[in-house]
Amino acid sequence: MSVAQSDGRDFLSNLGRVYSLYTLSFLGCVVLLAILEQVGMPKPWIGYAFVALTIGVYAAIGILSRTAEVSEYYVAGRKVPALYNGMATAADWMSAASFIGMAGSLYLLGYNGLAFILGWTGGFVLVATLIAPFLRKFGAYTIPDFFSFRYGGKVARTLAIIVLMSCSFTYVVAQIVGTGLIGARLLNMDYVVAVYVGLVGILVCSMLGGMRAVTWTQVAQYIVLIIAYLIPVVILSAQKYGIPIPQLTYGDVLSQIAAKEAALRAAGDVVVPAVGYINPSFGNPALSGAALWVEYVNYFGLILCLMVGTASLPHVLMRFFTTPSVREARKSVGWSLLFIFILYFTAPAYAAFAKMEVYNNVVGQNLATLFSAENLSWIRSYGRVGLIQICGVDATTLEAVRTACARVMQHTGDVASFNPTIQLRHFGIQADAIVISTPEIAGLPYVIAGLVAAGGLAAALSTADGLLLAMANALSHDVYYKMIDQNASTEKRLVVARVLLIIVAIAAAYVASFRPADIVAMVAWAFSLAAAGFFPALILGVWWKKATTQGAIWGIVVGFGITLYYLVGTRYYAPAFYETWKGLSIATAAQYQAYEAAKAAYAASATAANWAALDRTAQVVANWWGVRGISSGLFGLPLGFLVIWAVSKFTKEPSQEMQNFIDEIRRPKGAVVMQEKGAAVGH
């Protein structure tokens, strides 16, 4: 698959044949590994084979796509056809949060989890209609380029860089956490080691060839991830209903789940979804008045933040800089939606089948069976990385879990022989484990589990590649080249870009090694930051000619600043935030009492345990009008629009030349407006 400059044209004209051959070869390797498993190949070897095969292919594409041309490095020479840009955008977009976390969120939150699907999918409608074609017509390399040109000067560019770095860094940490979790399971290695192993794979794909290497790697990664996502549920659907279309059969699975939960309740079990991001009682008729409105605000607020955040993420928007024309950019948005829809349409089915398998194969088993049966060894594997708990402790060893269960169930007899039946309320599984563990929960061959893990790895790597490239480009192009040394040679600019790429990647891996939060939560933070920081100035920059420089600057400062303050304050400084803003807090009387009790306990004895209890209870009551941190963009987004409008009304209008420029980028036809030195000419 050579894409070197000398034969780049041949490669582009044979893309269909190249990727068809690649897909068939990958399927052939999966079949071969399945056969080897049946004849006795050890499971760890299958995991190693998947990692070596996929990362080896991605690395080969990255090396063969290496380039020393600026336009190839930043925008893939603006030669990527719409279909393949759609696949690359889908891979760029469908991160570990989509692949690993979405079905898990649906598993735990039920219908409430649909907020993620609605928000993330709806965002592409905004991208297609309001932003992507016009940024492509503008013709820059990065989003800060647009801000600098539209609003003038270094202040707007600097603010855009700050927003870009904040949301992209948060997002990429989540992806590296995903690679660490998958690597720990697939390669049976320590989580921290797996984080840095995944980092090597990310760097090999993106460092040498920039956007060109990332583009062709992401196309290959999309093929792997979509195959990996579909195969397990297709098999389960065919096994249980004889129809290999899970989207048509999971309605019956939901009916079975409802009947199973009714039976569990009748038997005295507690069927309550784990704590999620949206209150699981949303839609509960027992809720009324202000409490119900708070749930509505949080549910629809999250959808809005995810939609607007999708339309503001730099690593997604910069993908539309790579098409040959504005028309191709519009078409590629449509292809992206189709490719994303395939996975999102399958996620609810995945969650339903996974829950049914847990009810059938885990709930009701006794403790000794869970730890001794070979087909349940996945419990210990995921317990070691903290993704599965039984009786409140990680499911690492039978002895540890037995002791915890004896305490929880108030067993007074001999603990060493205690062998209780595990009920649903005793079993905890995190959202990040649902997708990658379902094949093992369902008893499918291990090669399927390896395939799913390889798909999750592809999703995390593809998004991490795009995010790291966006950050490195912002630092090398917008900071170094535009603000420090505008006479830097092409070679020097690319060296700076690659060095910065490595530095940012290592910093992100270091943060990810601490697992600061679960994947979906971190990704949602990035969306709120991007929505509040970019969207108002981006939209008004294209669609309102009278938006001024001062208006944009203050809109970004206020919108992004208030969102960041709320997010950090409610998550990491919850006691201080609550004490400052307690007049705006909404919580139940029991939650306030719990906080006051924890506060009194900490005042009496300032131990680490008491501080942890105080912080935990404070995070519940620290809010403005009940809005959760995951929807913090709900404050910054409208404020950003309002401030830009108000300040623009009282400051000097943009020049006529600038207003003509805005008219021009909204015109579909014609050449790109801005041409960089050494840039490829587009239409």
Side-chain angles (χ1 to χ4, degrees), residues 36 55 82 85 101 136 142 220 227 273 289 375 435 456 472 484 532 551 617 629 656:
L36 292 175
I55 290 186
N85 195 52
R136 177 61 186 87
T142 65
I227 290 173
N375 64 334
V435 167
I484 297 176
T617 54
Q656 189 58 47

Side-chain angles (χ1 to χ4, degrees), residues 187-381:
L187 303 177
N188 200 29
M189 60 174 54
D190 180 75
Y191 165 77
V192 175
V193 176
V195 162
Y196 287 98
V197 170
L199 181 68
V200 172
I202 294 169
L203 287 175
V204 169
C205 298
S206 56
M207 189 174 69
L208 296 176
M211 180 59 87
R212 184 166 75 164
V214 166
T215 297
W216 304 124
T217 304
Q218 286 175 334
V219 173
Q221 288 166 334
Y222 177 79
I223 292 169
V224 171
L225 75 87
I226 202 63
I227 290 173
Y229 204 83
L230 291 176
I231 282 185
V233 278
V234 166
I235 293 174
L236 290 174
S237 180
Q239 283 181 343
K240 297 184 183 305
Y241 300 101
I243 303 173
I245 307 175
Q247 295 86 352
L248 297 180
T249 59
Y250 83 95
D252 289 336
V253 178
L254 291 176
S255 298
Q256 293 182 36
I257 289 173
K260 190 79 175 179
E261 291 183 344
L264 291 172
R265 288 193 186 94
D269 205 344
V270 179
V271 183
V272 176
V275 175
Y277 312 105
I278 307 169
N279 192 319
S281 56
F282 171 68
N284 187 336
L287 280 178
S288 61
L292 182 60
W293 276 107
V294 167
E295 296 309 317
Y296 275 121
V297 168
N298 277 291
Y299 183 76
F300 291 105
L302 178 59
I303 293 174
L304 176 65
C305 290
L306 295 175
M307 281 184 66
V308 176
T310 298
S312 312
L313 287 175
H315 75 289
V316 173
L317 295 179
M318 62 190 279
R319 281 241 48 93
F320 300 103
F321 297 166
T322 66
T323 58
S325 66
V326 175
R327 179 183 172 83
E328 289 288 294
R330 289 181 184 273
K331 289 170 62 178
S332 73
V333 176
W335 282 115
S336 304
L337 267 173
L338 173 64
F339 293 129
I340 292 169
F341 170 80
I342 295 172
L343 187 142
Y344 282 14
F345 192 46
T346 308
Y350 211 121
F353 277 99
K355 179 163 280 192
M356 197 65 226
E357 293 300 330
V358 167
Y359 285 0
N360 288 338
N361 299 325
V362 177
V363 176
Q365 299 283 350
N366 64 55
L367 199 54
T369 301
L370 289 179
F371 277 84
S372 62
E374 177 61 26
N375 64 334
L376 294 172
S377 62
W378 54 272
I379 289 179
R380 298 188 297 277
S381 299

